[in-house]
Amino acid sequence: MFDVETTGTNPRVHQIVSIGALLLDRTTLDPIKSMSTLVQLSPEAFARADPRAMKIHCLTLSQLEAAPTPAEVVTRFLDTFGADFYFC
């Protein structure tokens, strides 16, 4: 399972600010691995955020500036889950 929070709905303008993922056993659906993290966002990207999206997840610029970079998040995701899984 995979969930993201973003700064809006336009992929050309808005960015991912939070990722949560859970790998389930395909037979029992028991949790096997999980991760959750914020994703770093610059003040410029924060300024382009849709206020409605930001109201939904209530993340602040200070939280997002201190978060891991997108590259660090991708590395952590691949270290946690590898590449042998199905998105659903």
Side-chain angles (χ1 to χ4, degrees):
M1 303 175 110
F2 190 76
D3 180 49
V4 298
E5 297 296 335
T6 66
T7 59
T9 58
N10 184 339
R12 292 188 176 137
V13 175
H14 300 118
Q15 298 181 15
I16 294 172
V17 293
S18 175
I19 296 175
L22 176 65
L23 179 64
L24 302 175
D25 180 277
R26 68 175 64 172
T27 303
T28 65
L29 299 180
D30 290 333
I32 298 173
K33 297 178 184 178
S34 66
M35 73 164 276
S36 177
T37 185
L38 297 178
V39 182
Q40 190 177 83
L41 191 68
S42 69
E44 297 79 23
F46 190 83
R48 292 189 301 269
D50 183 328
R52 295 172 295 175
M54 302 309 285
K55 186 176 179 181
I56 290 171
H57 51 66
C58 301
L59 295 171
T60 66
L61 177 58
S62 62
Q63 289 173 301
L64 297 171
E65 283 182 315
T69 66
E72 291 169 330
V73 172
V74 169
T75 298
R76 181 173 167 204
F77 184 90
L78 292 173
D79 287 348
T80 301
F81 297 106
D84 187 25
F85 58 85
Y86 296 98
F87 278 110
C88 60

